[in-house]
Amino acid sequence: MISWAEISDKSDKLRNDFVQKYLEKSGIENSLEYIETPLSNLKEATLEAQNKFDYIRVHPNFGIDSLHLFAGIPSEMMTVGAMDAWIRADKKKWWPRNFYFKAFHGVISKQGSKINLNSEVLIIGTGAVAKAFLVGFVKLGFKKINISSTMDEAAQEFVESSKQFFFDVKLSYVPQSRLVTLPGVHGIMVNTTPIDKNSEMIEDLSYFNFLQKSGLVIDANLVPLDSLLLTEAISVGANIIPGYEFMSAADALWMQELSGKKIQIEDYTSYLLEQIQNQNPETSVDNLS
């Protein structure tokens, strides 16, 4: 029996319950617990979890802070700047990992020639998921990346802290008020902020005045499947990647690490999509094509 847990300030039960059920469906016995704790108690909660569980997932809300809890961070993880899991290398040592970042290239590579490396990237958000996308696009070869957020101070700190790792990339902060006036030079836009908490910003983004023709729009939210952002993106001729495609790829890689068995990303993506639709019949992917 494999024991694992998620540490968070607000558990992502929808996503993790699907992972647990898929593992069981695949013949992998496992137990899942949710550890909810305030940020002020994060280190203590993590140490307790490391003494109790075989594997630990970290909610995106704690993805940046968790990385700096202990000494000895691998250089690659320092560059990524965020984590989503603790993996035990031996009986004593735990290492941070970022499966969202590991999933990035596999998902993005499917876009092929649709990716314009000479264009700019616009990332909405300043959390752990935004970090993974930022580093992923830098690794692909993008030279101009803009960051926007409803929180000015957090966005400016995000940009400045990232600049120390990427000397040949122009990173800029764009206030929300400037989104509707941006020129159409962005080949990719990524939203990593919750749809239900940033409705005003989502409406500003939905004009897509900043996006190049046939640009790529990514919504990192798992649900709703047919979000306003994605349906409007399609209406202006953009290509899209729904959040469940990134989530399922990251989760499949995580399950493979946990179980030691090959997990087919395509199979888990289909499973995850079916489960979401079964639990939320009003959601649909009919318009996302």
Side-chain angles (χ1 to χ4, degrees):
M1 172 74 74
I2 298 172
S3 64
W4 60 287
E6 184 207 51
I7 298 178
S8 70
D9 55 352
K10 185 178 181 181
S11 298
D12 191 356
K13 293 185 177 180
L14 179 69
R15 180 181 177 188
N16 286 299
D17 283 353
F18 291 153
V19 168
Q20 184 191 27
K21 291 175 181 176
Y22 185 83
L23 285 169
E24 291 176 346
K25 173 177 172 289
S26 303
I28 303 166
E29 293 187 6
N30 71 105
S31 63
L32 164 63
E33 290 187 28
Y34 291 102
I35 303 171
E36 294 192 4
T37 184
L39 178 60
S40 59
N41 192 55
L42 179 58
K43 185 170 185 177
E44 290 77 8
T46 300
L47 287 170
E48 290 179 11
Q50 289 177 346
N51 288 325
K52 182 177 180 182
F53 299 100
D54 299 317
Y55 295 90
I56 302 168
R57 298 192 85 177
V58 178
H59 190 279
N61 288 355
F62 286 160
I64 295 176
D65 293 291
S66 291
L67 185 62
H68 303 286
L69 289 178
F70 309 107
I73 303 172
S75 57
E76 180 187 52
M77 290 302 302
M78 282 293 292
T79 301
V80 176
M83 61 178 290
D84 59 20
W86 287 105
I87 301 298
R88 180 157 43 193
D90 51 47
K91 292 183 178 181
K92 295 183 178 180
K93 188 65 177 179
W94 289 77
W95 294 104
R97 292 288 185 268
N98 193 315
F99 288 90
Y100 219 107
F101 177 67
K102 289 174 73 69
F104 176 90
H105 290 283
V107 176
I108 289 294
S109 64
K110 295 178 182 178
Q111 299 298 312
S113 60
K114 297 176 184 177
I115 301 293
N116 178 10
L117 293 177
N118 294 317
S119 67
E120 298 184 23
V121 175
L122 175 62
I123 298 176
I124 310 300
T126 60
V129 177
K131 282 278 190 183
F133 274 109
L134 169 62
V135 181
F137 287 123
V138 170
K139 296 288 187 181
L140 276 183
F142 283 92
K143 298 300 183 182
K144 293 184 179 180
I145 300 178
N146 299 312
I147 309 297
S148 188
S149 170
T150 56
M151 300 178 289
D152 293 350
E153 185 175 340
Q156 291 170 357
E157 181 180 339
F158 181 95
V159 169
E160 292 305 314
S161 63
S162 300
K163 282 182 178 179
Q164 62 182 305
F165 296 103
F166 309 117
F167 304 106
D168 58 344
V169 178
K170 183 179 180 182
L171 300 177
S172 303
Y173 165 60
V174 179
Q176 180 183 347
S177 59
R178 283 187 50 210
L179 287 175
V180 294
T181 64
L182 287 176
V185 296
H186 298 85
I188 299 178
M189 189 280 285
V190 183
N191 174 51
T192 70
T193 66
I195 292 288
D196 58 349
K197 294 182 180 179
N198 297 278
S199 57
E200 183 180 344
M201 173 170 272
I202 298 302
E203 289 178 6
D204 289 343
L205 293 171
S206 297
Y207 288 106
F208 293 111
N209 51 285
F210 52 81
L211 193 69
Q212 291 181 343
K213 185 178 180 181
S214 300
L216 177 63
V217 174
I218 304 169
D219 187 353
N221 289 282
L222 183 59
V223 292
L225 297 174
D226 50 358
S227 67
L228 172 64
L229 196 64
L230 294 181
T231 53
E232 288 298 318
I234 292 172
S235 72
V236 299
N239 299 294
I240 67 163
I241 299 180
Y244 74 85
E245 291 191 18
F246 266 104
M247 295 286 189
S248 60
D251 288 346
L253 291 171
W254 152 259
M255 286 187 281
Q256 188 166 294
E257 176 73 34
L258 178 146
S259 66
K261 295 183 178 181
K262 179 68 176 178
I263 302 294
Q264 297 294 335
I265 293 177
E266 294 79 7
D267 184 67
Y268 183 66
T269 299
S270 298
Y271 172 84
L272 178 62
L273 180 56
E274 180 182 0
Q275 295 301 309
I276 294 173
Q277 291 177 314
N278 288 342
Q279 290 203 8
N280 303 275
E282 71 278 5
T283 64
S284 172
V285 293
D286 293 342
N287 296 325
L288 303 184
S289 59

